[in-house]
Amino acid sequence: MLIFSQKMIKYMEYLPITVQLEYKACLIVGGGDVALRKLKHLQKAGASVTLVAKQFSEEILEYCQNSTIAVHLIKSAYEAKFLAGQFLVVAATNNYQVNKQVSNDATEQRIWVNVVDDLENSTFIMPAVVDRSPLLVAISTSGVSPVLARKIKEKLEWILPDNLSILLNRLKDYRPKLKKKYHSFKDKRSFNEWYIDKSFSGELTQINDFESAIKYFETDYLAKGKVYLIGAGPGDPELLTVKALKILQKADVVLHDALISEGVMALIRKDASLVNVGKRAKGHSKKQEEINELLIEYGKQNLTVARLKGGDPFIYGRGGEELEVLVENQIDFEVVPGITAASGCASYAGIPLTHREYSQTVMFITAHCKNSEDSLNWPSIARQNQTVVVYMGLLRNHILSEQMIKYGRDPDTSVAIVENGTSPSQRVAVGRLCQLSELVEQYQITSPSLIIIGEVVQLAEKLAWYQSSLFLNENNQEPRYLLKEAV
Ligand SMILES: C[S@@+](CC[C@H](N)C(=O)[O-])C[C@H]1O[C@@H](n2cnc3c(N)ncnc32)[C@H](O)[C@@H]1O
């Protein structure tokens, strides 16, 4: 997915707008194939079309004879007087001078003009259109490549189901009824979202009338809210799953952790209520009990609640505990997995967590306090030929390396610390297990950081791809990629 910021695009060359042309007077200057094509196009929108040309092709005459909508044909050379009362004009002759004259006259009279295949003399251009009326998809390349626009149109024609017009006509029919039925904007919007989702998944084939749809909606959706436990991934917003994105764009409330990246936060529906459960006064995070209470409070309302956590909610995320609370309170939920820091950071640092030659096992551990260290099975963690990924291990890194070496892991085993993994400020420091603390100090590594221990780390130098231009850049004042040994 591409995210454009305001800074990247200053303005659009053209503003796509849709114009109501029913019964509006439109003029086409020209009498050949192109004029006929434009005539058909304008007639589709219900325009009242006049054609002016010295000669009309057989095809145009035949078409006009059989057309159920009247077309006004004027057999004459073009004159400016024909512009009087016209809403817009299309110049479609094969004579540049005539087209130019039409353009000049129209511009002078402030009538919109399109000169076929001539951007310079046009004040509007016509996009390629995928027509699923009332749904219209207009594709414009700002006149750069009509062929590309047509190719994209072909693809969209294929993707967009034919019955979209049935769906839209139903939504149009339901609109006034919905207005009477529900007064709150939220209920109306929820119905529309629910109805569209269900129609796309083919679950409404038996339901053809408004009353049955409302009945189904109220039992299926409205009576209860739902909590979605969502993994936001390690930082890069493009690592969010499609499912997570869809939910974030319809959520009423988002309870999010402190460390969710700005890029992911920017994808949340603009009018959703945001509750930062990672922060409390004076920088302390909310207690788990408080978060649970909020989940119950919101979950019991008729709301779409997103509980957004970094990485994957089931990996050192207390996601399981929060779900148990929801079960106890009979609140519906779904879980949307996310890319955990181990996968994200390893991939972006070029470290395959397993490798046929170096490591057959991978183990995730956490070591953030004395309790968690005491309960760890150090002999199994220190086994050879396995990769150990340590979450929240930064503060007590010295105990980690001491214990692993004490229980038999080679002190020269490679380690990497990935700081702010997958984000533009990612840094990777590489060294040996016995140097772990030196690495942290030397590079002043800060949280969030992930420690990866094992022979696979040796591959980082060869496989680094993310920000690789900064790789081993000794002269860079502030190197982001610190892939070198601590001395
Ligand atoms: C409370 S745990 C949550 C883990 C999360 N549920 C997951 O699946 O990634 C937080 C720890 O994950 C690691 N972490 C999360 N995101 C990270 C990132 N972008 N770069 C490095 N480490 C990260 C750090 O060790 C951090 O202290």
Side-chain angles (χ1 to χ4, degrees):
M1 183 198 303
L2 285 175
I3 301 172
F4 293 106
S5 75
Q6 206 70 24
K7 277 184 205 146
M8 289 162 76
I9 297 177
K10 263 200 279 173
Y11 56 82
M12 293 184 281
E13 283 183 51
Y14 290 86
L15 177 73
I17 54 176
T18 43
V19 188
Q20 228 273 24
L21 280 188
E22 204 175 8
Y23 306 124
K24 298 249 169 35
C26 298
L27 180 74
I28 298 173
V29 183
D33 289 351
V34 183
L36 178 59
R37 231 175 39 231
K38 298 293 169 190
L39 168 65
K40 289 178 184 170
H41 205 50
L42 291 176
Q43 274 193 331
K44 264 192 162 179
S48 169
V49 185
T50 299
L51 259 81
V52 176
K54 282 201 230 162
Q55 258 335 313
F56 292 108
S57 69
E58 286 297 317
E59 287 79 9
I60 288 195
L61 293 173
E62 197 185 322
Y63 174 82
C64 292
Q65 224 163 28
N66 298 325
S67 169
T68 48
I69 311 164
V71 183
H72 188 198
L73 296 182
I74 303 175
K75 200 169 168 191
S76 157
Y78 163 76
E79 288 177 55
K81 67 176 185 192
F82 294 126
L83 292 177
Q86 299 296 338
F87 187 77
L88 58 82
V89 55
V90 178
T93 76
N94 52 11
N95 182 321
Y96 176 80
Q97 288 310 331
V98 175
N99 286 349
K100 173 99 181 121
Q101 191 58 49
V102 175
S103 168
N104 290 348
D105 295 344
T107 310
E108 204 179 294
Q109 295 187 39
R110 297 182 183 224
I111 300 171
W112 285 17
V113 58
N114 172 259
V115 181
V116 177
D117 281 341
D118 185 350
L119 270 188
E120 214 173 288
N121 287 308
S122 299
T123 55
F124 78 96
I125 53 177
M126 292 202 224
V129 174
V130 181
D131 183 4
R132 299 283 187 280
S133 286
L135 173 81
L136 298 172
V137 182
I139 305 132
S140 169
T141 57
S142 303
V144 175
S145 172
V147 178
L148 177 64
R150 208 188 60 236
K151 295 261 176 219
I152 295 171
K153 170 184 150 76
E154 280 165 15
K155 285 194 191 302
L156 289 177
E157 290 280 7
W158 193 76
I159 293 170
L160 294 178
D162 281 344
N163 59 8
L164 268 185
S165 47
I166 300 176
L167 170 63
L168 268 159
N169 282 320
R170 285 213 181 130
L171 290 172
K172 192 174 165 187
D173 175 38
Y174 292 176
R175 221 173 148 170
K177 297 175 184 167
L178 208 54
K179 219 170 165 181
K180 271 196 201 152
K181 174 86 191 161
Y182 298 123
H183 296 297
S184 95
F185 169 73
K186 189 189 151 292
D187 288 346
K188 281 180 272 197
R189 193 196 58 218
S190 300
F191 174 83
N192 282 323
E193 272 174 7
W194 172 88
Y195 192 82
I196 292 166
D197 284 348
K198 291 274 167 189
S199 301
F200 278 167
S201 59
E203 288 172 66
L204 292 181
T205 43
Q206 307 297 326
I207 293 182
N208 299 318
D209 63 293
F210 180 70
E211 282 69 30
S212 316
I214 286 288
K215 218 167 156 185
Y216 185 13
F217 169 64
E218 290 187 344
T219 47
D220 181 60
Y221 181 90
L222 205 51
K224 45 196 176 175
K226 198 172 208 176
V227 176
Y228 293 87
L229 179 64
I230 302 173
D236 181 347
E238 294 197 10
L239 294 180
L240 203 66
T241 61
V242 176
K243 195 165 186 180
L245 181 64
K246 278 188 186 165
I247 297 165
L248 291 179
Q249 289 187 347
K250 69 172 185 184
D252 299 300
V253 186
V254 181
L255 305 176
H256 64 92
D257 286 351
L259 272 182
I260 308 296
S261 71
E262 273 178 34
V264 171
M265 293 302 291
L267 297 171
I268 297 172
R269 210 186 80 209
K270 294 292 166 261
D271 51 347
S273 310
L274 300 182
V275 185
N276 184 347
V277 295
K279 246 194 197 157
R280 212 168 46 159
K282 293 186 188 142
H284 296 292
S285 45
K286 275 197 200 304
K287 284 197 192 123
Q288 190 59 47
E289 294 75 46
E290 292 176 77
I291 299 174
N292 294 349
E293 271 165 33
L294 280 174
L295 278 174
I296 299 167
E297 186 187 321
Y298 287 115
K300 284 198 166 165
Q301 298 173 43
N302 144 34
L303 293 171
T304 300
V305 182
R307 171 69 180 106
L308 190 61
K309 285 172 171 282
D312 181 274
F314 277 2
I315 294 185
Y316 304 124
R318 304 186 79 164
E321 292 165 49
E322 292 182 11
L323 292 191
E324 283 177 293
V325 170
L326 295 177
V327 172
E328 279 156 26
N329 286 276
Q330 297 176 336
I331 295 168
D332 258 14
F333 64 84
E334 271 183 40
V335 184
V336 183
I339 291 184
T340 188
S343 292
C345 295
S347 298
Y348 278 51
I351 302 170
L353 291 176
T354 64
H355 188 284
R356 268 197 302 174
E357 269 174 45
Y358 304 111
S359 164
Q360 287 72 45
T361 317
V362 58
M363 187 182 263
F364 296 173
I365 66 166
T366 179
H368 65 288
C369 60
K370 177 99 182 62
N371 276 355
S372 63
E373 281 155 21
D374 289 348
S375 58
L376 287 173
N377 180 344
W378 289 107
S380 75
I381 293 170
R383 272 194 313 243
Q384 305 302 319
N385 299 329
Q386 76 177 356
T387 310
V388 179
V389 182
V390 191
Y391 288 73
M392 297 174 272
L394 200 58
L395 278 182
R396 300 175 70 83
N397 66 80
H398 53 287
I399 313 247
L400 182 76
S401 50
E402 271 166 33
Q403 288 290 86
M404 283 186 73
I405 293 167
K406 177 175 161 194
Y407 284 93
R409 193 82 197 224
D410 184 345
D412 285 337
T413 308
S414 300
V415 294
I417 311 170
V418 185
E419 180 192 76
N420 285 318
T422 79
S423 81
S425 55
Q426 169 175 302
R427 295 196 303 162
V428 182
V430 170
R432 287 176 287 143
L433 183 57
C434 59
Q435 300 172 313
L436 187 58
S437 300
E438 289 164 54
L439 277 178
V440 174
E441 259 171 53
Q442 182 179 353
Y443 297 118
Q444 303 197 345
I445 305 284
T446 56
S447 189
S449 284
L450 195 82
I451 302 171
I452 304 175
I453 304 163
E455 287 69 20
V456 283
V457 171
Q458 291 163 29
L459 289 160
E461 194 163 347
K462 192 169 164 194
L463 303 183
W465 58 273
Y466 185 61
Q467 300 171 336
S468 48
S469 59
L470 297 164
F471 185 68
L472 280 177
N473 185 350
E474 302 279 349
N475 299 326
N476 197 325
Q477 292 294 303
E478 279 185 82
R480 278 176 167 174
Y481 227 109
L482 302 165
L483 209 98
K484 56 183 178 182
E485 287 220 338
V487 279

